[in-house]
């Protein structure tokens, strides 16, 4: 059973939704960089102020900032984990590999959620978070294609990718995720 997992996929594919379910079922630490950044914004910290404007444009927050957050959480945690929305570019993926080598905790599986742009757009528009308007979503999709999608080849080459079709109900997708993990 895989206890060290990444969830990868475009914005709105349901990474957060599925990661939360699986983490609860397997008692894993669920680390969502998006959630952690939104919590910093909410708490009005200096870090949150820095992240807020970047997130509102649909761009990626600085690697150094996100890495510091993840590093802190992983170093102080004993047990399995599930990373959701991180890494989001090659620099983050390489930094994560170094950190995990240091911790002797290699990734066991990368779940890739795949979904058509049309459905992504519908899901995000109906969620209606601050960064869920059409212009910002289209920028987030572009950032995904340019910066995050290259991670698919990066992890495929390591034999870690499990592709999951993310269309259908939350329960249907959850079952596919579990089946994909074997
Ligand atoms: P995230 O918080 O990661 O959000 P997301 O990619 O937009 O959504 P996700 O795929 O998790 O979809 P969800 O389950 O919520 O990122 C937000 C921002 O934070 C980024 O743009 C960036 O600025 C910043 N950020 C985060 N991580 C970063 C990093 N590592 N480096 C730099 N910047 C970073 O689902 C979406 C909606 O669909 C929900 O309303 C949900 O209820 C619904 N849904 C889910 N599954 C469904 C299903 N099967 N059927 C119908 N609806 C479904």
């Amino acid at each position: 059973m895989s206890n060290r997992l990444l969830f990868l996929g475009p914005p709105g594919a349901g990474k957060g939704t599925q990661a939360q379910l699986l983490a609860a079922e397997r008692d894993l630490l669920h680390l969502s960089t998006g959630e952690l950044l939104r919590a910093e914004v909410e708490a009005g910290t200096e870090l949150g102020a820095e992240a807020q404007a970047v997130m509102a444009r649909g761009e990626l927050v600085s690697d150094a900032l996100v890495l510091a957050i993840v590093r802190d959480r992983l170093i102080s945690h004993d047990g399995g984990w599930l990373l959701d929305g991180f890494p989001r570019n090659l620099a983050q993926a390489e930094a994560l590999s170094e950190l995990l080598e240091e911790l002797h905790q290699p990734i066991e599986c990368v779940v890739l959620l795949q979904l058509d742009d049309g459905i992504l757009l519908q899901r995000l528009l109906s969620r209606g978070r601050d960064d869920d308007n059409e212009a910002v979503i289209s920028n987030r999709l572009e950032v995904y294609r340019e910066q995050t999608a290259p991670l698919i080849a990066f992890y495929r080459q390591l034999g870690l990718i499990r592709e999951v079709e993310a269309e259908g109900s939350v329960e249907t997708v959850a079952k596919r995720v579990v089946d994909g993990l074997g």
Side-chain angles (χ1 to χ4, degrees):
M1 193 169 82
S2 303
N3 280 326
R4 293 188 297 270
L5 301 155
L6 299 193
F7 269 45
L8 195 64
K15 300 181 296 290
T17 306
Q18 295 299 330
Q20 201 175 1
L21 289 173
L22 190 68
E25 192 184 302
R26 297 198 171 184
D27 197 21
L28 306 173
L29 168 73
H30 174 201
L31 234 172
S32 156
T33 43
E35 286 295 321
L36 292 169
L37 289 168
R38 283 187 288 278
E40 296 283 343
V41 172
E42 192 73 17
T45 65
E46 205 176 308
L47 194 155
E50 195 183 327
Q52 189 169 27
V54 181
M55 292 168 83
R57 291 194 301 270
E59 289 164 10
L60 296 184
V61 172
S62 90
D63 294 340
L65 204 155
V66 174
L67 269 165
I69 294 182
V70 173
R71 189 183 176 86
D72 253 26
R73 303 292 194 291
L74 282 186
I75 281 184
S76 57
H77 174 71
D78 197 16
W81 39 258
L82 197 168
L83 301 183
D84 152 20
F86 175 89
R88 252 178 159 94
N89 60 27
L90 278 171
Q92 291 183 9
E94 279 159 8
L96 176 64
S97 298
E98 277 176 32
L99 171 63
L100 296 179
E101 207 165 301
E102 190 187 311
L103 298 176
H104 305 291
Q105 295 186 15
I107 296 165
E108 292 173 313
C109 182
V110 177
V111 176
L112 171 63
L113 293 174
Q114 303 270 37
L115 197 62
D116 284 352
D117 283 6
I119 306 175
L120 293 174
L121 187 68
Q122 277 169 24
R123 281 191 190 174
L124 292 173
L125 286 175
S126 56
R127 178 171 65 184
R129 209 168 62 195
D130 284 353
D131 56 344
D132 288 338
N133 64 68
E134 220 161 322
V136 175
I137 294 168
S138 114
N139 196 30
R140 282 157 64 197
L141 286 172
E142 203 173 309
V143 168
Y144 174 77
R145 272 186 217 103
E146 282 176 8
Q147 303 195 41
T148 311
L151 298 185
I152 299 171
F154 179 88
Y155 287 117
R156 201 184 294 284
Q157 180 189 300
L158 299 172
L160 293 172
I161 295 272
R162 303 279 181 285
E163 279 187 52
V164 172
E165 170 56 57
E167 192 174 351
S169 69
V170 170
E171 296 72 26
T172 306
V173 180
K175 184 172 183 319
R176 286 191 202 123
V177 169
V178 171
D179 290 349
L181 293 174

